[in-house]
C-alpha cells in the first residue's frame, strides 16, 4: 500500500509544490506501470514544457531595452508587462550612430508562443544595419518580411518613429497602432496617423508624418491592453478615461511618466489576471 499509493502521492505533492515555486527542473521518479505511473510520466512531460516556456520568456525579456535612452534634447523609455508567460507586444528603442533616436511600439494579434515568435522575427529585422532612413520605408521592410513569411496568418500593428535632435523634428509612420498622444502645455492632442497592420498585404502604402516638437513636449504611446483592461465585471477603462487622466500623469522624465501611468492604471483595474499585454512608451523633449 505504501509503495503503490502513499509514496507516489507524496511525490506528486512535491511535484505540484515545485510547479507552484516555478522550479521546472523537478521531475517525478518512475512509478509502477499503472495509472499513477502514467500520470507521473505525463506530469514530467508537462513540467518539461513549462521549463521551455520559462526559458523562452527569459530570452524574450532580453529582447526589450533596459532603462531609458537619451539623445540631445530627448529621452525615451518604455516597458512591457505581458499577460502570460510569452507576450505579443514588441517595444524597442535605441540611439543611432548619427545621433537620431529610433523607437517602435507594436502589438501582435493574440499572445502566447506564436505571437512571441512574430515579435522575435520583427526584432531580428529591426537589428539589421541596412534599414532605410524613413520610418515608412522601415515599415515596408518589416511588412514584406512578415507578409511573405507568415502568409497572412498573423498580423501586427506597429508605430515607428525617428527623432532628429537638430530642429527637434519627429517623423512617424503608423501601421494600425492606435493610442498616440502629444501632451503640450498641459493639453492633450490625439495623433490621427492611420495605416494597415503589418502582415496583411504587400501593398501597404505607409506614410511619413512629420512633427516639429517643443521643449516640454511629451509623447505617450501604448497598446490596447491598457484602455481595454476591466474596471468592473463587464466594463473596460476605455480610451476616453485614459485621455482624461494622461495630462495629470506627466512627470519629470520619460521613465517617471511611464511609472506614473502604470501606477494609476493599477489603482483602477479589477484585481485578478491581466487580460492582455500592456506596453507603454514615453518620449520627452527638453
Amino acid at each position: 500500500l505504501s509503495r503503490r499509493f502513499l509514496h507516489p502521492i507524496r511525490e506528486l505533492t512535491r511535484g505540484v509544490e515545485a510547479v507552484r515555486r516555478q522550479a521546472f527542473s523537478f521531475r517525478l521518479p518512475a512509478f509502477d506501470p499503472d495509472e499513477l505511473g502514467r500520470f507521473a510520466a505525463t506530469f514530467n512531460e508537462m513540467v518539461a514544457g513549462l521549463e521551455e516556456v520559462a526559458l523562452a520568456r527569459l530570452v524574450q525579456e532580453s529582447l526589450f531595452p533596459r532603462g531609458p535612452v537619451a539623445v540631445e534634447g530627448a529621452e525615451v523609455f518604455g516597458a512591457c508587462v505581458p499577460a502570460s508567460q510569452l507576450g505579443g507586444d514588441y517595444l524597442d528603442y535605441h540611439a543611432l550612430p548619427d545621433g537620431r533616436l529610433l523607437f517602435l511600439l507594436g502589438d501582435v494579434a493574440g499572445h502566447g508562443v506564436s505571437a512571441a515568435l512574430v515579435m522575435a522575427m520583427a526584432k531580428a529585422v529591426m537589428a539589421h544595419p541596412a534599414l532605410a532612413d524613413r520610418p515608412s520605408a522601415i515599415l515596408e521592410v518589416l511588412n514584406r518580411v512578415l507578409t511573405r513569411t507568415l502568409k497572412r496568418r498573423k498580423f501586427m500593428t506597429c508605430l515607428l518613429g525617428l527623432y532628429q535632435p537638430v530642429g527637434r523634428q519627429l517623423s512617424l509612420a503608423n501601421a494600425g497602432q492606435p493610442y498616440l498622444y502629444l501632451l503640450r502645455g498641459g493639453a492633450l492632442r490625439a495623433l490621427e496617423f492611420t495605416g494597415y497592420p503589418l502582415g496583411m498585404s504587400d501593398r501597404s502604402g505607409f506614410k511619413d508624418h512629420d512633427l516639429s516638437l517643443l521643449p516640454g513636449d511629451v509623447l505617450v504611446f501604448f497598446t490596447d491592453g491598457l484602455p481595454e483592461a476591466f474596471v468592473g465585471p463587464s466594463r473596460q477603462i476605455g480610451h476616453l478615461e485614459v485621455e482624461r487622466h494622461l495630462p495629470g500623469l506627466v512627470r519629470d522624465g520619460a521613465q517617471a511618466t511611464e511609472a506614473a501611468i502604470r501606477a494609476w492604471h493599477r489603482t483602477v483595474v479589477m484585481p485578478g489576471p491581466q487580460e492582455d499585454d500592456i506596453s507603454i512608451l514615453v518620449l520627452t523633449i527638453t
Side-chain angles (χ1 to χ4, degrees), residues 103 105 123 140 162 179 185 195 200 207-208 211 223 262:
F103 61 87
L105 179 67
K123 174 72 175 184
E140 291 288 355
L162 277 171
Y179 312 121
M200 296 185 69
K207 296 180 180 180
D208 294 309
L211 293 173
T223 54
R262 207 172 287 278

Side-chain angles (χ1 to χ4, degrees), residues 32-43:
D32 290 342
D34 52 15
E35 287 82 357
L36 286 174
R38 289 191 293 272
F39 182 87
T42 303
F43 179 91

Side-chain angles (χ1 to χ4, degrees), residues 18-19 21-28 44 47-48 50-51:
V19 171
R21 299 193 317 270
Q22 299 188 18
F24 299 130
S25 60
F26 181 89
R27 295 294 183 273
L28 291 173
N44 286 340
V47 174
L50 291 174
E51 186 175 23

